């Protein structure tokens, strides 16, 4: 009882602090630790994944409350195909049920949430592929928020497929090799209709500090903010989520401070006569950034970095 009161107070405090600053547009989540959670409770392992799926539902509500536009969840990696058949079947069954629930859930439609799967979905069982298609078709006209489900997904494979696709187009004369840049590569990744934008924040639960082949391109290598935490996915609480958002905000503030420090250093390093040249350089860089705003986030980011 006492701890509940403190917890709710802390949650309100964090929420109030977070709302004063910019919140991430795109959060990606590695929902790890489901089997270890089940082991700790002494229950059957796939029950851990069932509890984990309930956490996913809560996290989608929290993202909605904070106005997060895109949420990408890691549901099943290409590496996970090496798990035993019973475990794979249990996980696929849970995902299928959750997709059907999403389809019926009024929140999906009220929020105009577009649901997309990214990955080598043709490798999945037919009934799961059908469930994916049902929810994708029902939400394909929505543009409110986006839920991207990385399933049968591997980041290296995604980049390889994009390269093979571009090579084929170059051979067919549909693409000039010289035109390939960040935005062209982004367009050739798994988009399922609309390009997946750069990730602002990756969250991983379960205590491991690695990103397990998840969105290497969209996370700009692993340059986006990252929050690794110990709780297993089924026990991930709202205060953990809010702390992750705070890590993103601190990171953004540091980035802005570093950019202004760089401009001050640059000005200090210039003599009076050279300042006009510097002003030209800055004007040019800002012009380039504004132009890049019409293209993909990857281009935008790299141009800002040049400033
Ligand atoms: C992550 O949880 C979800 C999937 C891989 C499907 P795990 O199943 O990896 O659970 P742990 O990390 O072994 O506890
Ligand atoms: C990452 O968890 C993949 C998913 C959450 C789907 P894993 O448990 O599969 O990752 P590793 O094996 O610890 O890298
Ligand atoms: Mg794991």
């Amino acid at each position: 009882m006492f701890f509940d009161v403190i917890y709710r107070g802390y949650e309100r405090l964090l929420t109030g602090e977070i709302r004063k600053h910019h919140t991430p547009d795109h959060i990606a989540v590695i929902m790890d630790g489901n089997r270890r959670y089940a082991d700790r409770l002494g229950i059957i392992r796939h029950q851990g994944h069932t509890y984990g799926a309930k956490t996913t539902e809560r996290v989608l509500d929290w993202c909605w409350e904070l106005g997060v536009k895109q949420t990408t969840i890691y549901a099943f990696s290409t590496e996970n195909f090496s798990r035993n058949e019973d475990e794979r079947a249990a996980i696929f069954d849970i995902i299928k049920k959750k997709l059907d629930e999403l389809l019926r859930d009024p929140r999906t439609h009220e929020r105009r949430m577009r649901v997309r799967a990214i990955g080598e979905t043709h490798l999945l069982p037919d009934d799961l592929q059908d469930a994916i298609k049902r929810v994708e078709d029902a939400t394909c006209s929505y543009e409110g928020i986006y839920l991207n489900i990385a399933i049968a997904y591997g980041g290296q494979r995604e980049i390889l497929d994009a390269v093979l696709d571009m090579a084929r187009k170059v051979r067919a004369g549909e693409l000039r090799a010289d035109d390939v840049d960040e935005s062209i590569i982004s367009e050739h990744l798994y988009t399922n209709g609309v390009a997946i934008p750069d990730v602002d924040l990756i969250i991983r639960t379960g205590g491991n500090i690695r990103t397990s082949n998840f969105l290497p391109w969209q996370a700009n290598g692993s340059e986006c903010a990252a929050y690794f935490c110990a709780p297993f996915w089924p026990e991930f609480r709202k205060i953990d989520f809010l702390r992750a958002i705070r890590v993103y905000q601190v990171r953004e503030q540091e980035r802005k401070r570093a950019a202004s420090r760089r401009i001050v250093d640059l000005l200090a390093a210039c003599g009076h006569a050279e300042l006009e040249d510097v002003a030209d350089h800055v004007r040019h860089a800002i012009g380039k950034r504004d132009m890049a705003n019409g293209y993909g986030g990857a281009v935008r980011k790299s141009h800002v970095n040049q400033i």
Side-chain angles (χ1 to χ4, degrees), residues 30-32 35 74-77 80 83 204 208 210 212:
I30 304 173
M31 313 179 290
D32 200 24
R35 296 181 300 185
Y74 208 178
F76 195 85
S77 68
N80 292 148
R83 296 195 179 180
R204 181 176 187 141
N208 290 317
R210 56 173 180 268
S212 298

Side-chain angles (χ1 to χ4, degrees), residues 24-26 60 63-71 107-116 138-148 194 197:
D25 292 323
H26 185 182
L60 290 179
C63 286
W64 168 254
E65 286 166 18
L66 276 191
V68 175
K69 186 93 177 153
Q70 302 258 354
T71 308
R107 287 172 296 185
T108 303
H109 306 285
E110 283 157 17
R111 296 171 185 175
R112 303 192 66 73
M113 181 170 79
R114 181 162 181 182
V115 182
R116 294 178 291 173
T139 62
C140 68
S141 64
Y142 292 167
E143 293 178 344
I145 53 172
Y146 293 81
L147 170 62
N148 313 308
V194 190

Side-chain angles (χ1 to χ4, degrees), residues 270-307:
C270 293
H272 211 69
E274 291 166 296
L275 277 178
E276 211 23 62
D277 282 351
V278 174
D280 274 352
H281 174 80
V282 171
R283 270 196 292 272
H284 180 64
I286 288 172
K288 268 164 86 179
R289 184 189 57 188
D290 290 346
M291 257 172 58
N293 275 344
Y295 299 96
V299 173
R300 202 160 55 236
K301 212 179 240 177
S302 64
H303 282 251
V304 170
N305 287 345
Q306 279 171 24
I307 301 177

Side-chain angles (χ1 to χ4, degrees), residues 116-154:
R116 294 178 291 173
I118 52 166
E120 295 182 274
T121 50
H122 59 276
L123 300 176
L124 297 167
D126 288 346
D127 60 341
L128 180 51
Q129 289 189 45
D130 292 344
I132 290 172
K133 189 166 170 6
R134 276 195 295 276
V135 69
E136 282 186 342
D137 286 352
T139 62
C140 68
S141 64
Y142 292 167
E143 293 178 344
I145 53 172
Y146 293 81
L147 170 62
N148 313 308
I149 304 173
I151 181 166
Y153 176 87

